[in-house]
Amino acid sequence: MHFSDLGLEPELLRAVADKGYDTPTPIQRQAIPAVLAGRDVLAGAQTGTGKTAGFVLPLLQKLGSAAGRAPRVLVLTPTRELAAQVAQSVKDYGTHKNLRARVIFGGAGEQPQIDGLRAGCDLLIATPGRLLDLANRGLADLSKVEHLVLDEADRMLDMGFIHDIRRVLRLLPEKRQNLLFSATYNDDIRALAARLLTDPVHVEVTPRNSTAERVEQVAYRVDKEHKRHLLVHLFQHGIDGTGPWF
Ligand code: AMP
């Protein structure tokens, strides 16, 4: 399976080749065609699975290349670090396209963000609190959003963003494509997904509520006073006795 089998346009295939990717990851194989087809998506995927390209690539394609004023794609993230990371991916994957992205997050001066919004953008990547603040003051126009992504939705809920998310949703056009990415599922995520998504394609690349695949877990029962000795032993001999770890 190659990226070209997923229906991506030449500009995006070139960007993927620039990045040195050979084959799409499982989440990309499943999510990219679904997003291109305009479907809502509920994706269970952790960081490290390639989930960002899984939604950024097809959304860049759906946007075409006309640079607009108000954003047509809105990506909500729990943290400024993730927002910056998504923005970097948009820059990388959109390098052969004529689209503009802006990033909005709290804990930083708002004026450059306001100036950026005024200058216009096609994609807006934001943390919910700051976005809501700017939108309520008429500084962020969300009336043209056609595609919404909730990235790391479980973390957003853990951080108490549910009310802000609900308020942001009320500012968006009703007719839009919705993508929800979450590493774990609980009742709150399921409720949000049920409310937000219409007939979603389910994409699952790791078993629910599991740890990352490549992390091996081993448990030893020992008395507290032996913990230190066990640790030293494990460092010296390895978990399976085949030698030191480093
Ligand atoms: P993410 O899960 O979106 O945070 O991506 C994790 C890392 O995988 C990032 O550093 C990406 O640049 C990289 N990546 C994404 N897709 C691919 C791919 N198809 N092949 C190789 N690396 C990739």
Side-chain angles (χ1 to χ4, degrees), residues 13-200:
L13 294 176
R14 265 170 66 206
V16 163
D18 294 347
K19 291 284 286 179
Y21 302 164
D22 290 330
T23 46
T25 65
I27 183 115
Q28 291 162 2
R29 280 202 283 274
Q30 298 172 63
I32 290 173
V35 178
L36 285 177
R39 298 285 305 272
D40 279 6
V41 171
L42 176 60
Q46 299 170 316
T47 297
T49 55
K51 68 180 167 66
T52 316
F55 63 85
V56 169
L57 284 167
L59 289 177
L60 286 172
Q61 179 153 330
K62 291 199 82 72
L63 282 180
S65 52
R69 292 206 57 77
R72 285 179 289 148
V73 167
L74 174 64
V75 182
L76 292 181
T77 70
T79 62
R80 67 159 107 178
E81 289 78 13
L82 185 62
Q85 227 170 292
V86 172
Q88 185 58 47
S89 296
V90 169
K91 206 170 159 201
D92 291 345
Y93 304 136
T95 184
H96 303 296
K97 298 204 49 144
N98 178 31
L99 294 165
R100 280 187 298 186
R102 304 277 178 213
V103 194
I104 299 287
F105 49 72
E110 62 174 30
Q111 198 54 48
Q113 300 177 1
I114 294 170
D115 294 344
L117 287 171
R118 274 212 188 100
C121 66
D122 304 286
L123 300 98
L124 184 59
I125 302 127
T127 53
R130 171 64 62 91
L131 175 66
L132 194 62
D133 178 26
L134 296 182
N136 283 338
R137 288 154 57 202
L139 298 165
D141 176 4
L142 301 180
S143 68
K144 303 287 186 294
V145 171
E146 296 166 14
H147 314 272
L148 171 72
V149 183
L150 298 189
D151 195 9
E152 300 197 357
D154 48 351
R155 275 181 79 197
M156 284 201 275
L157 296 198
D158 286 347
M159 291 167 73
F161 280 135
I162 186 66
H163 300 296
D164 285 349
I165 291 173
R166 284 211 191 103
R167 288 184 196 115
V168 169
L169 292 180
R170 286 202 282 272
L171 301 175
L172 305 179
E174 223 159 86
K175 191 174 169 305
R176 53 168 204 269
Q177 183 178 26
N178 300 290
L179 315 177
L180 190 153
F181 287 75
S182 188
T184 58
Y185 287 101
N186 58 26
D187 289 346
D188 291 338
I189 290 288
R190 275 186 263 272
L192 180 63
R195 197 190 139 114
L196 187 73
L197 306 172
T198 308
D199 187 24

